[in-house]
Each structure stands twice: as C-alpha cells, then as structure tokens.
Amino acid sequence: MLIHDSFCKIIATTGPASQSPEMLEKLVLAGASVFRLNFSHGTEEEMRARVSAIRALEKKYDISLGVLCDLQGPKLRVGTFKNGSVMLKEGQKFTLDMTGEPGDETRVTLPHPEIFQAMHPGLELLLNDGLIRLRIDDHTADVAHTTVTVGGELSNHKGVNVPGVKLPISALTPKDREDLKLAEKLGADFIGLSFVQQPEDLLELRKLMTSEAQIISKIEKPSAIEHLTEIVALSDAVMVARGDLGVEVSTEMVPVLQRRIVDLCRSTGKPVIIATQMLESMIQNITPTRAEASDVATAVYDGVDAVMLSGETAAGKHPVEAVKTMHNIIRTVEKDERYRQNLMRRDKIAGENTETAITVAAGVAARTVQTANVIVNFTDSGRTTLRTAKYRPGVHILSLTPKITTARHMALVWGVTSVVVKDLQTFDDIATEAGNAALHSGLVQKGQQIVVTAGIPFGHSGQTNLLYIITA
C-alpha cells in the first residue's frame, strides 16, 4: 500500500507533459493524490485514457486517487484581428462592437451582449490578464467607445475581465453541460465549477448532476466574495483560484482574500485548495523561486487541505520535479513545531454535540498516548473523517469505508489515507479491521496504539459516538 506521508495533499493538473501512464505513475510516486483534468483543453479520448491510467494506478498501489474534472466556464474574449494583433497606445480611442468582423487598430468585436448590458461610463475593462485596460466612455446595446488607459499588444481571442460587476451570465455554458455529462461518465470524483458568482450557480449545477461527484467552487470573481458564506455552505470543497481573482481585484488584496477564504473553510470543515502560480517558474526551471517556496509554505502553515499545480505539471518541462519540490516544502513545514502549534491555536470547537466531542477527544488522545500516531475512522459518507480532519489532530487519519466513492473523495482531505473495507457489523470487526489496516498502511508498527472512532449502531451515517484505543 502506497502512503503519502504529508498531511497537505497535492493536486496535479494533467496535460501534454503528464498524460502518459508512465508519467502519471511518476507523479503518484512523487506525492500527487488528486489529478485535475482541465476541460478547457484536451479531447474526450485523451480524458478517457487519463482516467483509465489513474484507476489502474489505484489498483497497482492499493491507493485511492481523486479525479477532478474542471469545467471551463464562460470565457469572455475579444474576437480576431485582420493581422492577428494590434498595438494599443495609452490615450487612444478604441471601439468594441458586436459586428463579428475582424478588428484593426480602431476596433474589435466583443461577442458578449452580457458585458454590454453591464457597462456604464467610467467602467474599466481588463484585457489579456489585466495587461491592457480600457475605460468606457459611452455605449449602446452593441457598441462601446473606450479610451485606452494602459496600452500594449492585443491579439486574437484574448480574455476580458469586468472587475466589480456581476455579469448576467450563467456559470455553466452549453459546452460545460456537455462536459459535465462526460465527466460523470468517466466517474469523476470532483467537478470544478468556474466563474462562480452567486449561490444559484451551485444550485444550477447540483440539479444537473446525476452522480455522487462533489462540487468544488472556484473562487475567482469578486462577486463570489460577496456571497462567500452561502457559497462555501453549498460547496463540497473550495478552490482559491488566484489567476482570474488576481486580475479582478488589486494584487495586494489577493493574499487578504486567500486568508479570509481559508479561515472560513477551516471553521466550517470544508476542504480548501490554493491554486495558480504556486511554482510557476518550474514550468521552465528545475527549481522554484524563493518567493514561490514561501507561497507554498504559507498555505501549508495556514492548514489548507491541498495545494495545486497547473501548468507546472500540465505543460511544464519538469512535472515530476515540481511535485517532488512541492512535497518537500510541505513535509519541511509540517515538521516545524510552529506548524503544529499554529494548527492547534486556530482550532475553535463549536457546535457542542456528541460527534464533535468524540472527534476532539480523538485528537487529544492521539497526542497524549505516547505510541499513538494514527486515528482510524469508520465512515460510510465520509462525514466522520471530515469532522476529524477539521480539527487537524496532528496525526494521520486512516479512513475505512465500504464505498470507493467515499475513499476517493477523501483523497483531497488533510491528513487522510482511505482504505476500502467490507461493511462492518460488530465492534470486534472494527477492532480487527482497524488493527489490520493500520499495520498494512505502515502508519503504525506492531505493539503501537491506535485511536479508533466509529458510530453505534453501525450503518447509520452521522452517529460518531464511540472512541476506543486498541493495540496493533
């Protein structure tokens, strides 16, 4: 059985540099627990092949791996130019319209009526990841006259951001709806929802879903921050997608919002992921910058469930080294005594009930009993394990479940290793299975003690009321 020894998980994005079975295996061995399939790129055949290879690796290494299918969401882009690109200069006038004709130095098509509906004089549009800025002077329903406030080269199909405005557009495009069907056919464990602006976006996706896949809300719009509490409550997990978020809000606000999102997710027990540009320089270089290493370390110190690699593993020159580097940073931080002190200081026990009491007591017991370095949960839905991970007990969590879907969902959760077991009926079954699984995992040695939590009567989800310490 392959065990990843870090608490914080690593998500690796698949792509041309990492889609072969051989490369996917190297990424698993380097420390990846979840694989992201970016539905903005790739064919159905490629997606099927990647998922098939990932499932084969699960069997080979007796490990549960998560598959995240990331929906593209609405892509707001300008049209094309007669010569492929133009150079815009500060102060010049530039027109946006919906004619569909190739653009030139004076105008370009913006094929999004929703943006025209949301326009007002003085509104600033950001193009090409914010490198170019246009201020709206005046507009009609299909033409906008603008002034270039920050110039630069603008080429075909560059992206458009409208900061501070809630656009009248669904988070799900027709392409997303078709991709969702494919993702569920492939057995996706997680669906990434892009362009989340409001709680209704999640409700819309939930109605369309027919599988047990969990929803990961990508927070990349300022409007999502306005509804953050409701969005987190409706999500199974949350991703701080710093790419578009960093375009739509000022740069200095990104770390502030990141901490706010992480704190809310930690307090509510929702898994939280930090993504985008974590080791960006490793797309080209064999080592990251010191600032990138500090960025990853900061997320780990904050107790996030997972950190994600995008272009580093999808198209970079050093995908395996990127995962190894991220894993090494994680493990170094997790060995720091200040890391454990920080996690314990942030834990706030709320909602007094039996389940919370047992969960917190399990963490205390694991830290108190000298030879105990693992908590074993028996769970059907994963709720018991999620509750245990919420309080960051400082030891590994072994989640035993009869459902493979639950085991794969736990691949994203802080400190959790999942094992699929038969449906247990008695306490003796629990004790035997807990000891066997803990020894098989390598997390404990013969004679060491194990903290076990479960619910009696068995088979009733959400009734964690038993804490027991056994010897392996």
Side-chain angles (χ1 to χ4, degrees), residues 245-301:
L245 184 63
V247 174
E248 300 235 358
V249 302
S250 60
T251 302
E252 63 271 17
M253 279 302 298
V254 174
V256 175
L257 294 177
Q258 174 175 315
R259 180 64 63 86
R260 177 180 169 188
I261 296 166
V262 169
D263 283 350
L264 179 58
C265 291
R266 286 285 314 276
S267 67
T268 55
K270 293 295 177 74
V272 59
I273 306 156
I274 304 299
T276 316
Q277 297 181 334
M278 301 220 77
L279 297 177
E280 183 84 356
S281 66
M282 289 195 73
I283 292 176
Q284 298 294 332
N285 303 326
I286 195 68
T287 57
T289 67
R290 277 63 172 172
E292 288 168 339
S294 294
D295 182 37
V296 174
T298 296
V300 179
Y301 273 116

Side-chain angles (χ1 to χ4, degrees), residues 40-263:
S40 296
H41 309 285
T43 65
E44 177 177 338
E45 182 179 1
E46 288 172 334
M47 299 298 183
R48 289 186 181 278
R50 293 174 196 176
V51 174
S52 177
I54 292 166
R55 296 312 184 208
L57 290 170
E58 282 188 315
K59 295 179 180 178
K60 181 175 181 177
Y61 290 103
D62 191 17
I63 187 175
S64 298
L65 299 170
V67 172
L68 162 58
C69 291
D70 199 343
L71 302 180
Q72 175 177 285
K75 290 298 180 183
L76 307 177
R77 302 181 184 278
V78 298
T80 61
F81 292 91
K82 294 176 183 177
N83 297 318
S85 67
V86 296
M87 183 62 68
L88 300 182
K89 298 180 180 179
E90 182 180 345
Q92 82 171 74
K93 301 299 181 181
F94 193 70
T95 300
L96 304 171
D97 58 45
M98 293 182 61
T99 64
E101 297 295 323
D104 54 30
E105 290 78 6
T106 64
R107 56 155 296 278
V108 73
T109 293
L110 180 63
H112 301 289
E114 300 87 356
I115 295 182
F116 285 91
Q117 292 175 32
M119 284 181 182
H120 59 78
L123 177 68
E124 194 168 51
L125 303 182
L126 309 184
L127 286 68
N128 192 15
D129 289 334
L131 298 178
I132 297 173
R133 299 182 177 225
L134 308 178
R135 185 185 65 242
I136 304 297
D137 297 327
D138 59 75
H139 72 94
T140 65
D142 54 9
V143 176
H145 301 289
T146 79
T147 298
V148 179
T149 57
V150 178
E153 184 180 18
L154 182 61
S155 57
N156 296 339
H157 304 302
K158 286 301 181 181
V160 180
N161 292 84
V162 192
V165 173
K166 182 181 292 185
L167 295 175
I169 185 171
S170 169
L172 291 162
T173 66
K175 169 180 165 52
D176 294 328
R177 292 169 182 264
E178 291 303 311
D179 286 344
L180 174 62
K181 294 177 184 178
L182 173 59
E184 294 194 302
K185 287 180 182 178
L186 294 176
D189 304 299
F190 307 98
I191 303 295
L193 182 61
S194 303
F195 207 83
V196 176
Q197 296 191 96
Q198 55 195 350
E200 289 76 10
D201 295 331
L202 290 158
L203 297 175
E204 181 182 4
L205 174 58
R206 192 77 70 179
K207 288 180 181 178
L208 294 173
M209 292 176 61
T210 59
S211 69
E212 294 184 71
Q214 295 189 335
I215 296 176
I216 298 178
S217 291
K218 296 169 65 179
I219 308 300
E220 50 194 344
K221 299 287 293 181
S223 51
I225 301 297
E226 298 175 15
H227 305 282
L228 188 60
T229 300
E230 299 95 324
I231 288 172
V232 170
L234 291 169
S235 306
D236 296 300
V238 172
M239 180 187 296
V240 186
R242 303 180 301 181
D244 279 323
L245 184 63
V247 174
E248 300 235 358
V249 302
S250 60
T251 302
E252 63 271 17
M253 279 302 298
V254 174
V256 175
L257 294 177
Q258 174 175 315
R259 180 64 63 86
R260 177 180 169 188
I261 296 166
V262 169
D263 283 350

